[in-house]
Amino acid sequence: MVIMTGELIFAGGANYIFETLDLSWGIVGWCVMRLGMAALWLRASGNPEYRVTCQRYAIGILLAQLGWVLMYLLVPPSSALFFVFGVIVFLIEFAVPVYAESHRMTPFHRHHMIERYGLLTIISLGEIMLAVSLGFGMLFGEETNFVAAGTALSAMVVVFVMFWLYFSEEEHLVSSEFWTVLKWGYGHVFIFGGIAALGAGIAAELDLAANHSENTLASVAWWMGVPMAITFVMLWLIRDRHHRLGARGLALPVMALVSLVAAAMGLPSWGFALIGIAALIWRVDFVSKKPASMHGDAA
């Protein structure tokens, strides 16, 4: 509950922070959140088998948070050092689990984690659905906007494709080995971000269809092609390359390149829907009922 309170304080100022880079109260919310996280790790350190690992997590989290506070106090957002400092603190953040788990890896239920990350992917895809509903809403009224409805329909196809591609393998995390788990977990950050950015691109094209934007289709296309490429590549990196897929294993990286080409060509959303369908047909095994053979300890 303490952690959620801190998250909500930060989230309440998200728009303000993005517009101004002024963290101010965001830092307060972040500190509340991290204090709660450190407290949980210290409580878990009561288990003597994992005491050192849990204490390393608690100390590392607090040190990383101290870095964010110092960044806020010492570096103005207008300075180029603001972003350099931010990258350094992010590296500290990423180093915490590596350092903590190097003593003894904490136990976890692999299939439970697969389910949790899958649900977060569904939530991310759900964000696109809002834009879809707004597009179909333009069918109503005195002037029916078929262009916007076509964009919404294309967006639906993209959502279905992303869903199918993501859940095409039951064994999403094929091993409990630390580096595999670390790359799989952090790799999802780019998948979630790619899906969210794709939704923003679709919303931008809907604004164009409704004549509510001064952007061009050529600029909007980048906000669909690049996020789709990022999602495809990361899904290949964290999952597909660990499976014996044969030619199907090339589907996502190749179609990621095609997505970038489509962005450079300034294709509308229906073009990316077709790319998604092509990736799906290539990648998914519609015939065999057996899961692909896997490396690692998944059994």
Side-chain angles (χ1 to χ4, degrees), residues 5-18:
T5 300
E7 289 173 337
L8 289 171
I9 294 173
F10 188 93
N15 287 338
Y16 177 80
I17 292 171
F18 273 114

Side-chain angles (χ1 to χ4, degrees), residues 27-201:
I27 282 288
V28 175
W30 209 343
C31 287
V32 172
M33 179 179 68
R34 305 309 283 280
L35 287 172
M37 293 174 67
L40 285 178
W41 279 113
L42 289 175
R43 184 173 184 272
S45 69
N47 184 329
E49 295 183 24
Y50 298 96
R51 178 172 290 122
V52 175
T53 299
C54 294
Q55 289 175 347
R56 285 183 176 185
Y57 266 116
I59 294 171
I61 287 170
L62 293 176
L63 287 176
Q65 187 56 37
L66 178 62
W68 294 118
V69 173
L70 290 175
M71 174 179 166
Y72 169 68
L73 294 175
L74 301 178
V75 185
S78 58
S79 170
L81 288 176
F82 184 82
F83 297 97
V84 175
F85 207 120
V87 170
I88 293 173
V89 182
F90 264 119
L91 291 176
I92 295 173
E93 294 273 13
F94 294 145
V96 171
V98 177
Y99 174 65
E101 299 281 346
S102 66
H103 179 77
R104 183 169 185 177
M105 190 171 175
T106 49
F108 67 96
H109 192 292
R110 187 166 55 86
H111 287 99
H112 176 75
M113 295 308 297
I114 292 173
E115 180 195 25
R116 295 292 97 185
Y117 277 75
L119 290 174
L120 284 170
T121 301
I122 292 174
I123 292 171
S124 300
L125 289 170
E127 295 293 328
I128 303 179
M129 292 299 193
L130 176 60
V132 171
S133 67
L134 295 174
F136 285 134
M138 296 182 195
L139 286 172
F140 299 85
E142 296 180 359
E143 296 184 7
T144 300
N145 192 328
F146 289 107
V147 175
T151 299
L153 186 60
S154 299
M156 286 295 296
V157 172
V158 170
V159 169
F160 295 155
V161 163
M162 291 295 189
F163 182 93
W164 200 334
L165 286 171
Y166 184 89
F167 290 102
S168 60
E169 295 291 341
E170 291 184 11
E171 287 293 352
H172 222 281
L173 177 58
V174 299
S175 171
S176 296
E177 188 270 330
F178 174 71
W179 288 107
T180 300
V181 173
L182 187 75
K183 288 181 283 188
W184 184 82
Y186 280 118
H188 270 81
V189 174
F190 296 94
I191 291 177
F192 301 148
I195 292 173
L198 183 60

Side-chain angles (χ1 to χ4, degrees), residues 196-207:
L198 183 60
I202 291 169
E205 186 171 327
L206 285 170
D207 285 340

